Amino acid sequence: MGADDERRVTITAIAQEAGVSVPTVSRVLNGRSDVAPGTRERVEELLRHHGYRRRGSRGVRRADLLDLVFNDLDSPWAVEIIRGVEDVGHAAGVGTVVSAIHSHSTSTRQWLQNLQARASDGVIVVTSHLIPPVHAQLRRLNVPVVVVDPAGVPATDVPSIGATNWAGGLAATEHLLGLGHRRIGFVAGPPHLLCSRARLDGYRAALEAAGAPLDERLVQAGDFYHASGFAVGSALLDLDDPPTAIFAASDQMAFGVYEAVRQRGLRVADDVSVVGFDDLPEARWASPPLTTVRQPLVEMGRLAARTVLRLGQGEEIEAPRVELATELVVRDSSAARPR
Amino acid sequence: MGADDERRVTITAIAQEAGVSVPTVSRVLNGRSDVAPGTRERVEELLRHHGYRRRGSRGVRRADLLDLVFNDLDSPWAVEIIRGVEDVGHAAGVGTVVSAIHSHSTSTRQWLQNLQARASDGVIVVTSHLIPPVHAQLRRLNVPVVVVDPAGVPATDVPSIGATNWAGGLAATEHLLGLGHRRIGFVAGPPHLLCSRARLDGYRAALEAAGAPLDERLVQAGDFYHASGFAVGSALLDLDDPPTAIFAASDQMAFGVYEAVRQRGLRVADDVSVVGFDDLPEARWASPPLTTVRQPLVEMGRLAARTVLRLGQGEEIEAPRVELATELVVRDSSAARPR
DNA sequence: CTGAAAGCGCTTACAG
DNA sequence: CTGAAAGCGCTTACAG
């Protein structure tokens, strides 16, 4: 977004090409209702095609802005994504507007209005079901959208960036199997999230491949936060035939499991192996340091920003869905099965 | 920031009032050098007085934006502040632009340019020495500034919002003294930061008031991050006459101290009491849960946003410097001195 | 539903 | 250092 985009189209150019007057294009742009459907469509097509964006008079450069939307800002997760996006945005002279919509419809509407007023160049949505009407509205505004860590199977026309959750679930479980564990508990994430399901499937696939029994009582869902890890971890450890290892679908839940283990007078690693997912900064500093599956959150943010910026310039994206590699980081919370 | 600010001044009005032409005002606005000092001053004064902000043609509403600037986005800290600011901004229809300048001058210059392009309504600077030229530039742009957790003694003309660091340091140390500890180590923050110095002074004041000896070997500075807590904690514990309690000026350093304690085969609380500062979400989930001094980070963010928004509307601020109360949260990492 | 006209807020040469 | 003039990109009545 430097000097290279000085040559952007004006509504005058669009009007000419569409064979309509300037005011008509202006009306389409502002979502006024008094435009014939055919005209509207033709103009919108051209606006989209040229990647039109409103400009001020003469050399008045518009603000270059990019919207980064979370459901909530209460996870240590969020700041990693922000870092990645900000990094790329900053370098490109694009500001990163961070919002939390709390899955609340009035909040979402408010946000959409704000977004429109600030004429954002692109939107990055993190782990969210952006409801279809919002999508439609964004399309009308001609704002490119990229989804990070898609909540559900993303629409094919919206680029998405995720991590290889299935492979991560597989790797973590194989690691525990390799240490001799056979009864491996799984603290899943919320079942409606795609990433949760992929991690769970990876866990199952590893067990199956190893010919280990799949005991459904060993699988229970949490909500990614500490408390649920503690609750589910406790439930698993209180089973008649408790697991010797527990794989949690988030680091925070893994720390909750730590607590559950300790509360029972057991030791992490020595008595119960624990593996997490995310590799938050604190994983390295937990005691014992947590074995976990690393998600490249900063890189995901970076890629999302680059993608949405390129989209904004009218460039084509090669792959609409990208998954960045996860990586198993072995530390001290996992050990050979006690005999 | 709603419909209420439609009536803003234009440069035409300013020009008239200043008795100069419109282009001259435009030049002042754009920081062009070819304006006589006297003229510039007069025009700037009027711009400031009327709270001028650039507008597009006709009814083109400008983006309502607020800049939140960190040195770095690598602390779990940051997200708490962001939450507070976003919360207030969102409700007011104002977008929160988050940046990290990494105390890097090119990065800062870049940011300033971006800020100017996006015509931000206000700037919230977190724990930073915003160098004087930057301040001067912001003033020229007529952008209100609020500092959160000021790095140094803030200029009297810049409102600042902090926490009662001194009182927090005092409370934590008194707590440990009350548990019978006399040799209390202190892992300080970076000495150039005001908050570090205040916490340290609180620690000293408590010792002094209790008539406890002040051993300077028991005070060593870290950088607020984990690793330094581990390093300093280790050094303190390796002293000939080690402390029975360690107060760290950040939660992350406190967790580093946990590691140092464990590495020596000692137990937190039972053998060495540990107290932190911040009350990050993970403090509750550490094992043992960390006794710490709570900083109301979200509230600090909220107040900063409200303040900068009010400043932007030309309102007067009652108190230029506010400190929100810290609070000692006693959990399980502190215990009576072992005999 | 659409365009010709007027106009807004601003900036950029140009001249002095 | 400053202003009169031209002009840009857009929007808003107004008329049909």
Side-chain angles (χ1 to χ4, degrees):
Chain A
M1 324 260 71
D4 53 30
D5 53 356
E6 303 289 14
R7 301 270 87 240
R8 273 200 298 248
V9 273
T10 63
I11 68 169
T12 313
I14 300 282
Q16 210 146 37
E17 196 169 339
V20 296
S21 72
V22 167
T24 299
V25 178
S26 172
R27 279 189 273 262
V28 171
L29 224 39
N30 293 285
R32 219 121 308 181
S33 56
D34 52 352
V35 181
T39 314
R40 151 161 290 132
E41 212 156 302
R42 198 146 33 90
V43 172
E44 277 182 344
E45 170 55 32
L46 283 169
L47 289 169
R48 186 158 27 246
H49 176 250
H50 287 106
Y52 171 81
R53 276 188 48 225
R54 192 192 270 165
R55 269 202 297 183
S57 57
R58 272 272 144 137
V60 182
R61 284 280 299 287
R62 299 262 9 284
D64 287 317
L65 251 28
L66 189 158
D67 260 70
L68 176 57
V69 195
F70 294 87
N71 261 319
D72 292 290
L73 280 168
D74 59 356
S75 130
W77 228 84
V79 75
E80 306 287 316
I81 304 267
I82 294 174
R83 267 167 70 189
V85 173
E86 197 279 335
D87 192 35
V88 168
H90 193 119
V94 176
T96 302
V97 180
V98 175
S99 313
I101 55 172
H102 308 292
S103 308
H104 200 292
S105 75
T106 56
S107 183
T108 303
R109 198 164 29 241
Q110 166 78 286
W111 168 74
L112 245 174
Q113 257 176 27
N114 300 352
L115 182 91
Q116 181 159 14
R118 73 178 80 107
S120 194
D121 299 291
V123 175
I124 298 173
V125 181
V126 184
T127 319
S128 185
H129 294 282
L130 214 46
I131 43 172
V134 174
H135 248 124
Q137 175 71 354
L138 290 173
R139 166 147 319 177
R140 243 185 15 99
L141 292 171
N142 197 26
V143 178
V145 179
V146 170
V147 178
V148 170
D149 190 32
V153 179
T156 50
D157 57 344
V158 179
S160 71
I161 290 159
T164 57
N165 289 298
W166 183 85
L170 185 83
T173 311
E174 282 178 341
H175 167 67
L176 290 169
L177 287 164
L179 289 168
H181 297 279
R182 305 246 93 199
R183 285 187 67 73
I184 301 173
F186 185 61
V187 189
H192 65 279
L193 295 181
L194 190 64
C195 65
S196 300
R197 301 200 317 256
R199 289 171 202 178
L200 174 57
D201 281 353
Y203 159 82
R204 287 202 176 116
L207 290 184
E208 202 169 318
L214 179 53
D215 183 346
E216 284 299 342
R217 288 172 310 153
L218 254 35
V219 177
Q220 291 181 38
D223 63 5
F224 283 147
Y225 295 97
H226 272 119
S228 71
F230 177 71
V232 173
S234 299
L236 292 174
L237 293 171
D238 291 344
L239 249 28
D240 287 340
D241 187 8
T244 59
I246 296 179
F247 171 28
S250 79
D251 283 356
Q252 292 191 278
M253 294 197 297
F255 297 136
V257 173
Y258 272 29
E259 268 315 285
V261 169
R262 294 208 172 94
Q263 207 189 52
R264 278 152 189 77
L266 301 170
R267 282 158 310 165
V268 172
D270 296 336
D271 298 312
V272 182
S273 286
V274 178
V275 174
F277 204 109
D278 282 340
D279 197 24
L280 297 178
E282 52 256 53
R284 244 167 56 100
W285 289 97
S287 46
L290 181 68
T291 294
T292 188
V293 177
R294 177 168 173 68
Q295 281 204 85
L297 295 170
V298 174
E299 254 317 323
M300 286 161 68
R302 283 215 188 88
L303 183 57
R306 271 188 237 113
T307 304
V308 86
L309 255 23
R310 288 179 52 198
L311 243 22
Q313 310 238 308
E315 289 182 43
E316 289 298 317
I317 299 306
E318 309 75 33
R321 298 197 211 171
V322 178
E323 293 200 341
L324 299 186
T326 53
E327 183 194 4
L328 180 71
V329 181
V330 178
R331 289 194 274 246
D332 305 340
S333 64
S334 53
R337 171 163 71 132
R339 20 154 295 110
Chain B
M1 327 258 69
D4 55 27
D5 52 357
E6 303 289 13
R7 304 268 86 245
R8 273 199 299 246
V9 273
T10 63
I11 68 169
T12 313
I14 300 282
Q16 210 146 38
E17 196 169 338
V20 297
S21 71
V22 168
T24 300
V25 178
S26 172
R27 280 189 272 261
V28 171
L29 225 37
N30 292 285
R32 221 120 304 182
S33 55
D34 51 353
V35 181
T39 313
R40 148 161 290 132
E41 211 155 306
R42 198 147 32 90
V43 172
E44 278 181 344
E45 171 54 31
L46 283 168
L47 289 170
R48 184 158 27 248
H49 176 250
H50 286 107
Y52 171 82
R53 277 186 48 223
R54 193 191 270 166
R55 269 203 297 181
S57 58
R58 276 270 145 142
V60 183
R61 282 282 299 290
R62 301 265 6 286
D64 287 318
L65 252 28
L66 191 157
D67 260 71
L68 176 58
V69 196
F70 294 88
N71 262 319
D72 293 289
L73 279 168
D74 60 355
S75 132
W77 229 85
V79 76
E80 306 285 318
I81 306 266
I82 294 174
R83 267 168 69 190
V85 173
E86 197 278 336
D87 193 33
V88 169
H90 193 118
V94 177
T96 303
V97 181
V98 175
S99 314
I101 54 172
H102 308 292
S103 306
H104 200 291
S105 76
T106 57
S107 182
T108 304
R109 197 163 32 240
Q110 166 78 286
W111 167 77
L112 246 175
Q113 259 175 25
N114 299 351
L115 182 90
Q116 182 160 14
R118 72 176 79 108
S120 195
D121 299 291
V123 175
I124 299 173
V125 181
V126 184
T127 319
S128 185
H129 294 283
L130 212 48
I131 43 171
V134 174
H135 248 125
Q137 174 72 353
L138 289 173
R139 165 146 321 180
R140 244 185 12 101
L141 292 171
N142 196 29
V143 178
V145 179
V146 170
V147 178
V148 170
D149 189 34
V153 179
T156 49
D157 57 346
V158 180
S160 71
I161 291 160
T164 56
N165 289 297
W166 182 85
L170 187 82
T173 312
E174 282 178 342
H175 167 68
L176 290 169
L177 287 164
L179 289 168
H181 296 279
R182 305 246 94 200
R183 284 187 67 73
I184 301 173
F186 184 61
V187 188
H192 65 279
L193 296 181
L194 190 64
C195 64
S196 300
R197 302 203 311 260
R199 289 171 201 178
L200 173 58
D201 281 353
Y203 159 84
R204 286 201 176 116
L207 290 182
E208 202 169 317
L214 179 53
D215 183 346
E216 283 299 341
R217 289 172 310 153
L218 254 33
V219 176
Q220 291 180 39
D223 61 6
F224 283 146
Y225 295 97
H226 273 118
S228 71
F230 177 72
V232 174
S234 299
L236 291 175
L237 292 171
D238 291 343
L239 249 29
D240 287 340
D241 187 7
T244 60
I246 297 179
F247 171 28
S250 78
D251 283 356
Q252 292 191 279
M253 293 197 297
F255 297 136
V257 173
Y258 272 28
E259 268 315 285
V261 169
R262 293 207 171 94
Q263 207 188 52
R264 276 152 192 79
L266 301 170
R267 282 159 309 166
V268 171
D270 295 337
D271 299 312
V272 182
S273 286
V274 179
V275 174
F277 204 109
D278 281 339
D279 197 25
L280 299 178
E282 51 255 54
R284 244 166 56 98
W285 289 97
S287 45
L290 181 68
T291 294
T292 188
V293 178
R294 174 166 176 69
Q295 283 203 84
L297 296 170
V298 174
E299 254 318 321
M300 286 161 70
R302 282 215 190 88
L303 183 58
R306 270 187 238 114
T307 305
V308 85
L309 255 23
R310 289 180 50 197
L311 244 22
Q313 312 239 305
E315 288 182 43
E316 288 298 317
I317 298 306
E318 309 74 33
R321 298 197 210 172
V322 177
E323 292 200 342
L324 298 187
T326 52
E327 183 194 2
L328 180 70
V329 181
V330 178
R331 287 194 274 248
D332 306 340
S333 65
S334 52
R337 171 163 72 132
R339 21 152 298 107

